Amino acid sequence: MRKFYIETFGCQMNVHDSEKVIGTLAARGYDQVESADDADLVLYNTCSIRDKAEQKVFNRLQEFKRNGRGRTFGVLGCVAQQEGEKIFERAPHVSFVCGSASYNLLPQLLDKVEAGDRRVTGLSLDTEDTFDTPMTRRDNPHRAYITIIEGCDKSCAYCVVPFTRGPERSSASTTVLREVRELADRGYTEIQFLGQNVNSYRDPSPAGLNFAQLLREAGRTPGIRRVRFTTSHPRDFGKDIVDAISENPVLCNQVHLPVQSGSSLMLASMQRQYTRDEYMRRIEWMKNSPRNIALSTDIIVGFPGETLEDFEHTLSLLDEVEFDSIFSFKYSPRPNTPALKLEEQIPEDEKGRRLTILQEKQRAIQLRRNADYIGVVQEVMVEGYNKATGQWIGRTSQNKTLNFAAGSGETAENMLGRYMDVQVLRAGPNSLVGERVN
Ligand code: 5AD
Ligand code: SF4
């Protein structure tokens, strides 16, 4: 029996791609093992969104340089696509390099790898296909990810994704909805639609559904209790999405809408194709929904040319929106991207200073916002158990973590995946604590 080990870096798309790669390998008779030491084939599914993520991959490859004998090493994902054959020079023990746009060719590429070919590549971005595999091996028995659109047609000045994941390709709504129904039949209750920009979903099937219609259809599937989606681009984010959420409680009241900056000047030089006002209009739609939609965003500090005034605009945006959570990053120059050529790069320590200020402000906002939930009863899906605290880990429709006590006698078997009502008793900046109510 051939054994493989896979480690995944980066975003949810990568996590789900790995599930599909694992399914493909399992169907070929491979067994997954938990340690690279036990594997014949070692795969890293990589991320190159920021330099740090990329360095992690090369460090990992370095660890194996000496004792890698007898094993085959493969680099998948975004670093593979970005660095291509250069990886063979930098890490000569690697014999397989494949970007996500070529995963539909995995079987043919694996034939070559297995035949002992030392330089197998899948690097073409010239594909019309998405990577759909019936063999997908899903890790979580309750929540399933479905990629509805791959690639990205935007050209944000800082971003490698258009280079690492290629142009946009949508899956047919008929395929997506069939998968939703099959997953529901197998006991899944939560579906998460994935894509770099789910809002620009274009249905290639004759049904011709737009994204909001696809959401509504998925939300009508018997057995499905929660539908989420990520990631949205503000430019393509229509009011019809908010209306769909407002009208159907199965669609989770949670939206991740990356803003990147609160300064319209910075947004223009980032080539984001919207202004602060246009972003705020979308936020207003959501604030006006009866569903109390939780909002999250991504923010980059220290983009080239960002003045203290621009940065202040980002801070004031946080005050104005009061996000439920944010992911914030120091700008990291990436290969091939237009922002590389911009002058006025911000020094690292100044980026760090701005990031700290931003995160401290947001922490206070979250603490304040989460305190509003004290006393409120929320429905959670039970996701896990924390032995150290003796608490169950639940997630609300708003995607907040709500840890709770459920009384003795409950076991993982009868708790995990269940939906139950929990009253919030305490609130921290990143999670809530509560008690199950009967
Ligand atoms: N530097 C810093 N952050 C980046 N992101 C994307 N590219 C870069 C970069 N070059 C952030 C954006 C994006 C999130 C996934 O990662 O905020 O929304
Ligand atoms: Fe990282 Fe972007 Fe690739 Fe996801 S798509 S793995 S975030 S570079």
Side-chain angles (χ1 to χ4, degrees):
M1 176 66 86
R2 291 167 298 183
K3 297 190 176 117
F4 77 97
Y5 168 82
I6 187 165
E7 188 171 342
T8 306
F9 302 84
C11 63
Q12 215 44 258
M13 290 282 285
N14 261 14
V15 172
H16 184 43
D17 281 345
S18 285
E19 290 183 332
K20 297 190 241 183
V21 171
I22 291 166
T24 306
L25 285 165
R28 273 178 98 82
Y30 279 83
D31 238 4
Q32 187 176 8
V33 293
E34 294 301 312
S35 157
D37 292 324
D38 302 331
D40 311 302
L41 174 64
V42 177
L43 298 174
Y44 296 107
N45 190 3
T46 62
C47 174
S48 66
I49 195 90
R50 286 168 290 274
D51 189 53
K52 242 199 221 157
E54 183 177 336
Q55 289 318 319
K56 239 194 244 169
V57 174
F58 283 104
N59 291 341
R60 198 62 105 246
L61 284 171
Q62 212 56 28
E63 285 166 21
F64 266 97
K65 213 167 176 176
R66 258 173 238 108
N67 64 349
R69 207 177 298 272
R71 285 191 196 97
T72 304
F73 287 86
V75 178
L76 308 178
C78 294
V79 175
Q81 191 66 52
Q82 181 190 294
E83 296 299 305
E85 308 203 0
K86 279 187 266 171
I87 293 174
F88 296 131
E89 316 299 330
R90 223 169 135 180
H93 53 311
V94 171
S95 54
F96 179 36
V97 171
C98 183
S100 66
S102 304
Y103 290 163
N104 52 329
L105 303 175
L106 270 179
Q108 295 92 300
L109 296 170
L110 285 165
D111 286 344
K112 291 193 204 163
V113 172
E114 285 162 10
D117 200 329
R118 297 289 307 150
R119 287 194 166 199
V120 181
T121 56
L123 294 170
S124 169
L125 287 176
D126 186 18
T127 178
E128 308 262 285
D129 296 326
T130 51
F131 177 41
D132 300 318
T133 157
M135 285 84 80
T136 302
R137 170 79 59 85
R138 289 186 163 86
D139 255 355
N140 183 319
H142 311 292
R143 173 190 308 133
Y145 299 101
I146 299 180
T147 309
I148 62 162
I149 176 166
E150 291 175 19
C152 182
D153 284 351
K154 295 278 183 294
S155 48
C156 302
Y158 49 79
C159 191
V160 283
V161 172
F163 308 99
T164 62
R165 287 189 170 267
E168 285 175 358
R169 288 101 58 203
S170 297
S171 293
S173 66
T174 40
T175 311
V176 172
L177 292 169
R178 189 189 336 114
E179 196 167 359
V180 174
R181 285 192 298 274
E182 283 169 4
L183 288 163
D185 287 343
R186 279 161 45 205
Y188 287 89
T189 58
E190 181 174 322
I191 298 292
Q192 248 183 65
F193 285 153
L194 297 179
Q196 242 62 51
N197 177 5
V198 289
N199 313 123
S200 63
Y201 176 79
R202 296 275 176 282
D203 185 2
S205 78
L209 302 189
N210 66 28
F211 177 60
Q213 289 166 325
L214 183 69
L215 274 181
R216 283 179 189 268
E217 287 301 320
R220 275 198 269 273
T221 310
I224 296 301
R225 298 184 59 162
R226 287 183 172 178
V227 178
R228 302 182 193 277
F229 55 93
T230 197
T231 277
S232 293
H233 189 291
R235 159 92 182 204
D236 305 321
F237 185 87
K239 173 127 188 328
D240 54 349
I241 297 169
V242 183
D243 293 339
I245 294 173
S246 297
E247 287 159 30
N248 186 347
V250 172
L251 306 182
C252 288
N253 50 344
Q254 172 230 340
V255 170
H256 181 67
L257 195 63
V259 66
Q260 314 300 357
S261 170
S263 153
S264 290
L265 274 176
M266 280 298 104
L267 290 174
S269 85
M270 288 175 169
Q271 301 176 36
R272 287 290 286 175
Q273 307 180 36
Y274 56 86
T275 62
R276 177 185 174 126
D277 284 349
E278 285 164 339
Y279 183 82
M280 285 309 299
R281 198 167 317 141
R282 283 148 183 79
I283 295 294
E284 286 314 312
W285 295 338
M286 290 188 272
K287 297 236 176 204
N288 288 330
S289 162
R291 293 245 0 250
N292 189 12
I293 299 175
L295 299 169
S296 57
T297 200
D298 293 342
I299 288 177
I300 296 175
V301 299
F303 187 75
E306 184 186 71
T307 62
L308 285 177
E309 196 186 336
D310 292 316
F311 178 58
E312 286 294 332
H313 288 313
T314 298
L315 294 177
S316 77
L317 184 95
L318 293 193
D319 280 327
E320 212 173 313
V321 179
E322 297 203 291
F323 292 103
D324 293 83
S325 65
I326 68 168
F327 300 89
S328 50
F329 314 100
K330 293 191 278 186
Y331 166 70
S332 168
R334 305 309 294 132
N336 307 317
T337 57
L340 268 187
K341 293 193 203 78
L342 294 176
E343 283 165 23
E344 297 179 78
Q345 298 282 334
I346 311 293
E348 273 310 301
D349 54 347
E350 176 57 17
K351 288 185 213 167
R353 194 186 71 85
R354 293 181 194 180
L355 190 67
T356 306
I357 294 172
L358 184 91
Q359 291 177 341
E360 278 172 8
K361 172 178 267 309
Q362 179 59 23
R363 189 185 150 84
I365 292 171
Q366 286 176 207
L367 204 51
R368 200 164 64 232
R369 274 188 76 76
N370 282 346
D372 288 344
Y373 289 87
I374 294 173
V376 176
V377 173
Q378 298 265 294
E379 184 186 57
V380 301
M381 178 167 90
V382 186
E383 285 192 343
Y385 181 70
N386 183 336
K387 272 202 200 113
T389 61
Q391 286 171 327
W392 296 94
I393 304 165
R395 190 164 298 276
T396 69
S397 174
Q398 290 190 317
N399 207 28
K400 290 185 192 276
T401 304
L402 172 47
N403 301 308
F404 66 102
S408 53
E410 298 293 5
T411 62
E413 253 139 58
N414 64 25
M415 285 290 277
L416 296 185
R418 263 176 72 190
Y419 290 77
M420 52 187 61
D421 286 340
V422 176
Q423 181 167 40
V424 178
L425 301 174
R426 293 195 303 279
N430 298 312
S431 64
L432 306 168
V433 178
E435 194 174 61
R436 179 179 174 185
V437 291
N438 291 312

